[in-house]
Amino acid sequence: MTYRIAVDTGGTFTDAVVADASGILALGKALTDPERNFTGVQAAIADAAAQLGRDPRELLAATDVFIYGTTRATNAIVTRRTARTAMLLTEGFPDILVYRQGGKLRPHELTVDYPDPYVPRHLTFEIPERIDAEGGVVTPLDEARTRAVLEELAALKVEAVAVCLLWSIANPAHERRVAELIAEHLPGVPYTLSHALNPVLREYPRASSTAIDASLKPLMQEQLRLLERNLAASGYTGELLVSASLGGVMHVEDMIGRPIHLVKSGPAMAPIAGLSYAALEELGEDVVVVDTGGTTFDVSLVRNGQVSHTRETWLGEIYTGHLLGMGSVDVRSIGAGGGSIAWLDAGGLLRVGPHSAGARPGPACYGAGGEEPTVTDAAVVLGYLNPAHFLGGRMALDPAAARRVMAPIAARLGKSIEDSALAIVTVANENMIKAIQEITVKEGFDPADAILVAGGGAAGLNILPIARALGMRRVLIPRTAGALSACGAHFSDIVREAGASRYATTAEFDFAAVDALLDRLERELDEFARSLAARGLADFSRSLAVEARYAGQIWELEVPLRGRLRTAADLAALIEDFHLEHERVFAVRDPDNPIECIHWRARLRAALPRGAQRPLPQGRAGALHARAARTAYFGLLAAAPHAAAVFHGEDLAPGDRVSGPAIIEEPTTTLVVYPGTTVTVTPYGHYLCALAGPAATDAQGART
C-alpha cells in the first residue's frame, strides 16, 4: 500500500493528512515550532501514523507523494525577516516602491505615517539604461556603472538582488546582461529578473513581486532544501511537491526558483478543499470557504465551480501593505483566529486581533505562559471546549487560566466573565462577517445564494451565528475541518502559468499579433507538460484568460477566453463575456465603449492521481445518546446558560441528526451547535448544518 501525505505548517498548528487510494485516512496535528520547522512536521506525522497503527518512519517509507505547505514566507514578510535585498531600477525611476499604486482607505486620517517601501531607499540603486515601449534601446546599459553598483552591494553585504528595468517586458536584453554581471561580481547571491517572473505592464506590481521574490530566496531555498534532507533522513524517498498560491502544487525545484508562489500558498488550498467537499456532497457550485486557524481567518469564493483568482493580493492593508502582484487564489485574510488577543482601546472599546498569541506561548488555557485573553480562552469560559478532550485528549486545557486572564477585561467592562467572553466572541464574529462581505457583497455576489464550507481548528466555535447573520442557510463542516488547507493539497493538481502583456483594442483588433502571443504562451506550457509527461503524468487541461477594461478605465477585469481569438466571432464572444463580467461586478455595461486588452495568460493544470472517497455505512437503529451534558452560553449577553448535549464524532454515522444546543467534539475541531440549528451527518461523514429559517433544509428519516 502506498500513501500520500500533505502537511500544512501554520502559525499555531502543523497539520498532516494521510491518504491512500480510498481517500483520506488520518489527520495529525501538532503545535508549530517557530524555531525548528521540521519538529512540528515530525510531530504531526507521528500523530497521524499513531492513528493508523504505523511507525512514522515506516509510513514515510511507504509514501510516494509528499505535499508541503507553509506560512513561513508570509510570516517572514509580515515580520520583516526576509533577506537583505537590493533593488536595481532604471535611472530616474528610483521611487516605484515608494509611490506604490496610490489610493488610501481613510483619506481624512492625517496622523498615519506614510508606509516604508518594501526595499529601503538606501538599498535602491539606479542603473543608467533605457528601453522604450516598442523594445528599442534608447540608452545603452552602462556596464561600468552597473559594475560599480554591484561592488557597492558586495560591501553592503546584500543577500539578494531584485532587478526591474523599464520596458524589460518588451526587450529583456538589459535585465539579462545585469544578471550576467551579478553572477560575475556577486557569485552565489540569488537574484530575480522582473521580465522572467512577472511580465506585466504596470511598473509597481512588477517591481513589488520582483522584490518580494528575491527577498524570499535565501530563506525559503534554505528551508526547502532542509526539508528535503530531513525527509530523506526520516526514510522518505518519494516526490516532494509544494503548495502554491495559484491554487495547485509545484515541484520543489520550481518553487525554489520562484518562492513568491509560497506566499499565502496554505490558505490557497482551502477553497480547493471547499469546492471538492461541496461537489462530493452535491451542494452546488457556489461556495464561500472560510478557514479559521489560530492566527488568521481566511475567506475565499468559488463561483460556478471555479475558484476566484486575483492579481490584487496585498500583504497587510490595501495600499499601505505590499502588493504580491502575481496571479493567485483570491484569499482575504484578517487577524482573527482562535489565538487572536482581546483588548480594550484608548476609548474603552473591545477589540479582537489582529495580534495573536501564536503557538508560543499560545492562549492562556494552553498552560504555556500566555497572559492575554484570546478567542480560545473565551470559548473555554463559555463551555464550548472540553478541557479534557482538546485535540482528542492529547492536550489538556487550563480553564482556571482562561478565567484568570479574562478577569481584567471583565472588570473594565463592568461585566461578568461569561458576558465578557460572549462579547469577545461577538466582536470576533463581526470581524469575520465583514471579511466575508468584502469578497462576496462588495464583489456583486449574495452569500445567501451559496453554501458555506468552514474549516480550521476554530471554525466550528462560531461559524453558525456568522452564517445566520449573512442570511446563509446551509453550512458544511467537513469531519477533517481541522486541517482544511492540508486536505486541499490532496485535492489539488500541479499548475503552471505563463503570461505576457500586449495592448490590443477591440476597435482595431490585431488578430495575428494576439494569436502569435498566445501561441508563444502555449508553447511555453507545452515544454513544461513534456517534463511532467516524463514523470508519468498524462491528464492535462489548459485555460486562457485576458485582463481587459473599457477604454479610459484604470483597472482591468480578468475574463476567461473560450479559445484562441482568430475570427470576428471569437472576438464577439470575448466582448460579450467582458460586458457580462463588468455588469456582474459593477452593475453596469457600456456596449458602445471599446475594450482594451492588456495582459494575456495561459494556465496548465496536470491532474495528480488521487483516491476517491466512498459513502460510509448508514447509522445504527435507535436513538442517539450523548456522551455528557455541559453548561454553555449562547446568544445575547446576560443570556441564561444552556445544558448542551455533548457528542463525540466517532459515535455519529451518516443519517444521524443533532439539534442544538449541542456540542460535537472531533479530535481536531469542535462544532458548537447553537439553538435553532440542526446538524445532519452526510453520506460521507461530514456535518451539514441547517439554520432556522424559510430556506433551511433538513434530512428526512435521520436518527435523532
Side-chain angles (χ1 to χ4, degrees), residues 2-5 57-67 227-229 231-241 251-252 535:
T2 59
Y3 297 97
R4 178 171 166 170
I5 297 177
R57 192 177 183 89
E58 293 176 353
L59 176 64
L60 280 170
T63 299
D64 57 2
V65 175
F66 189 100
I67 305 173
L227 176 66
E228 284 186 299
R229 294 194 296 270
L231 285 173
S234 300
Y236 180 66
T237 58
E239 190 163 28
L240 177 58
L241 303 175
H251 286 102
V252 64
R535 301 186 184 197

Side-chain angles (χ1 to χ4, degrees), residues 68 118 162 215 256 304 344 368 377 397 439 485 570-571 590 621 662 692:
Y68 179 66
Y118 189 81
S215 73
I256 284 174
N304 300 319
L344 298 181
D377 293 313
L397 299 180
I439 203 171
S485 291
D570 297 334
L571 182 60
D590 187 2

Side-chain angles (χ1 to χ4, degrees), residues 8-24:
D8 181 60
T9 301
T12 305
F13 286 101
T14 295
D15 303 324
V17 178
V18 181
D20 68 1
S22 64
I24 292 175

Side-chain angles (χ1 to χ4, degrees), residues 589-646:
R589 64 163 63 197
D590 187 2
D592 297 325
N593 199 348
I595 297 168
E596 297 175 329
C597 302
I598 305 299
H599 188 76
W600 307 84
R601 185 159 51 252
R603 183 175 293 135
L604 173 75
R605 185 172 294 274
L608 292 170
R610 63 178 63 91
Q613 189 173 349
R614 299 180 179 89
L616 302 176
Q618 288 290 306
R620 301 162 298 281
L624 270 179
H625 295 287
R627 288 278 184 121
R630 191 158 70 237
T631 299
Y633 294 80
F634 305 90
L636 300 175
L637 300 183
H642 291 74
V646 179

Side-chain angles (χ1 to χ4, degrees), residues 289-294 296-298 336-338 375 385 429 432 452-467 475-478 481-484 668-672 674:
V289 184
V290 301
D291 190 358
T292 314
T296 62
F297 177 77
D298 303 319
V375 173
L385 297 175
N429 289 356
M432 295 173 181
L452 177 60
V453 177
L461 299 179
N462 58 344
I463 195 60
L464 297 184
I466 290 172
V475 178
L476 181 69
I477 300 183
L484 191 67
T668 59
T669 193
T670 297
L671 172 54
V672 179
Y674 285 69

Side-chain angles (χ1 to χ4, degrees), residues 219-475:
L219 172 70
M220 299 314 301
Q221 289 177 350
E222 178 185 4
Q223 181 181 337
L224 293 175
R225 293 296 188 201
L226 181 60
L227 176 66
E228 284 186 299
R229 294 194 296 270
N230 285 331
L231 285 173
S234 300
Y236 180 66
T237 58
E239 190 163 28
L240 177 58
L241 303 175
V242 185
S243 300
S245 56
L246 280 170
V249 296
M250 298 171 63
H251 286 102
V252 64
E253 290 298 330
D254 293 330
M255 187 63 77
I256 284 174
R258 298 184 175 193
I260 191 172
H261 290 297
L262 275 168
V263 180
K264 291 206 170 185
S265 63
M269 294 293 104
I272 308 300
L275 173 60
S276 300
Y277 284 128
L280 187 70
E281 302 289 357
E282 298 181 351
L283 295 172
E285 294 186 325
D286 291 334
V287 189
V288 175
V289 184
V290 301
D291 190 358
T292 314
T295 307
T296 62
F297 177 77
D298 303 319
V299 189
S300 50
L301 180 64
V302 177
R303 298 198 56 177
N304 300 319
Q306 299 295 318
V307 176
S308 297
H309 286 74
T310 183
R311 301 187 78 88
E312 289 292 315
T313 296
W314 289 84
L315 301 171
E317 191 174 75
I318 183 173
Y319 303 132
T320 59
H322 305 295
L323 182 63
L324 193 62
M326 302 284 291
S328 63
V329 172
D330 191 1
V331 180
R332 314 289 173 90
S333 302
I334 61 170
S340 293
I341 295 170
W343 53 286
L344 298 181
D345 64 16
L349 295 178
L350 179 64
R351 308 280 188 176
V352 177
H355 302 296
S356 171
R360 292 182 180 177
C365 60
Y366 285 7
E371 291 296 331
E372 297 180 282
T374 66
V375 173
T376 298
D377 293 313
V380 171
V381 169
L382 296 174
Y384 299 165
L385 297 175
N386 183 351
H389 199 257
F390 190 67
L391 292 183
R394 299 188 300 278
M395 180 177 175
L397 299 180
D398 185 350
R403 296 185 68 87
R404 184 186 73 251
V405 298
M406 203 70 65
I409 275 189
R412 291 185 62 185
L413 291 174
K415 302 287 185 181
S416 68
I417 288 179
E418 289 77 14
D419 279 355
S420 299
L422 273 173
I424 289 172
V425 172
T426 300
V427 172
N429 289 356
E430 290 301 318
N431 293 339
M432 295 173 181
I433 289 168
K434 291 177 182 177
I436 295 174
Q437 289 174 330
E438 284 286 333
I439 203 171
T440 55
V441 177
K442 291 190 176 182
E443 297 289 337
F445 181 80
D446 185 354
D449 294 336
I451 177 77
L452 177 60
V453 177
L461 299 179
N462 58 344
I463 195 60
L464 297 184
I466 290 172
R468 180 178 285 115
L470 291 164
M472 307 181 78
R473 299 302 183 187
R474 295 183 303 168
V475 178

